[in-house]
């Protein structure tokens, strides 16, 4: 298998790691890509990006009331 962040993964396709990556493990090592996009353009004075591990995505919320979402214009 392959070791990543202290966890052993089996050979083959890994649909989702604990760190929100999709990977492939073989005898030569492990290759991964992220399952999420980072928020790009939003009002950084009024809003903040918070990573949601359960959904493997960012929520962009108001700084003064995190229960309210903010508008986003792009993801990268």
């Amino acid at each position: 298998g392959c070791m990543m962040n202290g966890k052993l993964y089996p050979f083959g396709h890994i649909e989702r790691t604990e760190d929100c990556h999709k990977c492939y493990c073989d005898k030569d090592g492990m290759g991964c890509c992220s399952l999420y996009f980072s928020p790009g353009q939003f009002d950084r004075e009024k809003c903040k990006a918070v990573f949601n591990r359960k959904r493997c995505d960012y929520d962009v919320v108001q700084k003064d009331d995190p229960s309210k979402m903010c508008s986003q214009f792009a993801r990268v």
Side-chain angles (χ1 to χ4, degrees):
C2 299
M3 188 70 78
M4 180 177 177
N5 296 330
K7 184 171 179 178
L8 182 63
Y9 290 92
F11 286 125
H13 178 76
I14 298 112
E15 188 65 30
R16 178 180 163 180
T17 67
E18 291 177 357
D19 294 334
C20 295
H21 288 85
K22 181 183 281 192
C23 301
Y24 189 81
C25 169
D26 63 22
K27 63 180 176 65
D28 296 321
M30 192 171 197
C32 301
C33 60
S34 66
L35 292 171
Y36 56 89
F37 294 96
S38 298
Q41 299 174 340
F42 62 91
D43 185 341
R44 295 184 188 277
E45 287 184 26
K46 295 180 183 175
C47 304
K48 64 181 177 178
V50 179
F51 191 69
N52 183 323
R53 262 192 201 278
K54 196 175 219 179
R55 293 187 305 111
C56 288
D57 199 7
Y58 280 93
D59 295 325
V60 179
V61 297
Q62 293 180 10
K63 287 181 180 179
D64 60 351
D65 186 354
S67 69
K68 295 182 181 174
M69 302 297 282
C70 290
S71 298
Q72 296 179 62
F73 303 106
R75 287 183 172 262
V76 290

